[in-house]
């Protein structure tokens, strides 16, 4: 029903920046929240950021607060993650996700019904 297509991953040096995009498509797309999660090798998937689609309220993991910015373009059904001051510890596969369930816990992966394919972000030192 809903498909999420990610783009924008790549290799960057520490201190650099990247912007990830996640475009949602589907006849009945209406999102309560869209979020970004990441998973590094050998680690569990962790919450990065989320945005409530309607009002634009944002929330961030402590590890990225002040460095990452989540935003959305309602007209394009697209969410972005601007990543600044990247650190090697940010290296991971980044997944975007969407949930249509109003009031769900957007900081938890289980709240999301749709997932992007993942975008590799590698930060070199």
């Amino acid at each position: 029903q809903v498909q999420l297509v990610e783009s924008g991953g790549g290799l960057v040096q520490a201190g650099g920046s990247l912007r990830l995009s996640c475009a949602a498509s589907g006849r009945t797309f209406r999102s309560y929240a869209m979020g970004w999660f990441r998973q590094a090798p050998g680690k569990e998937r962790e919450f990065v950021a989320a945005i409530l689609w309607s009002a634009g309220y944002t929330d961030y993991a402590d590890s990225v607060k002040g460095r990452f910015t989540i935003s959305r373009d309602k007209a394009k059904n697209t969410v972005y993650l601007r990543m600044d001051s990247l650190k090697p510890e940010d290296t991971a596969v980044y997944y975007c996700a969407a949930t249509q369930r109003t009031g769900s816990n957007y900081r938890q992966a289980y709240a999301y019904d749709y997932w992007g394919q993942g975008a590799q972000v590698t930060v070199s030192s």
Side-chain angles (χ1 to χ4, degrees):
Q1 184 178 345
V2 176
Q3 299 174 68
L4 305 179
V5 179
E6 300 181 38
S7 62
L11 175 65
V12 65
Q13 287 188 286
S17 299
L18 285 173
R19 190 179 77 158
L20 303 179
S21 299
C22 177
S25 63
R27 292 181 183 180
T28 61
F29 177 77
R30 291 188 304 278
S31 180
Y32 164 68
M34 293 187 69
W36 290 94
F37 291 76
R38 66 187 183 186
Q39 188 165 23
K43 297 183 179 180
E44 295 186 353
R45 188 175 301 180
E46 66 174 351
F47 171 76
V48 176
I51 186 166
L52 301 191
W53 195 254
S54 181
Y57 172 84
T58 59
D59 197 16
Y60 300 89
D62 289 342
S63 59
V64 307
K65 195 171 298 181
R67 298 189 298 121
F68 290 11
T69 304
I70 188 170
S71 61
R72 91 281 199 218
D73 186 331
K74 288 185 175 181
K76 296 182 178 180
N77 289 328
T78 299
V79 65
Y80 305 94
L81 185 68
R82 171 78 180 190
M83 302 179 290
D84 296 313
S85 301
L86 282 162
K87 305 174 181 179
E89 306 94 275
D90 296 317
T91 295
V93 177
Y94 284 70
Y95 298 92
C96 69
T99 179
Q100 297 175 309
R101 289 178 284 169
T102 300
S104 59
N105 189 346
Y106 54 79
R107 297 179 67 94
Q108 300 295 324
Y110 64 71
Y112 292 86
D113 303 300
Y114 306 100
W115 292 86
Q117 80 278 15
Q120 177 69 51
V121 173
T122 303
V123 184
S124 64
S125 59

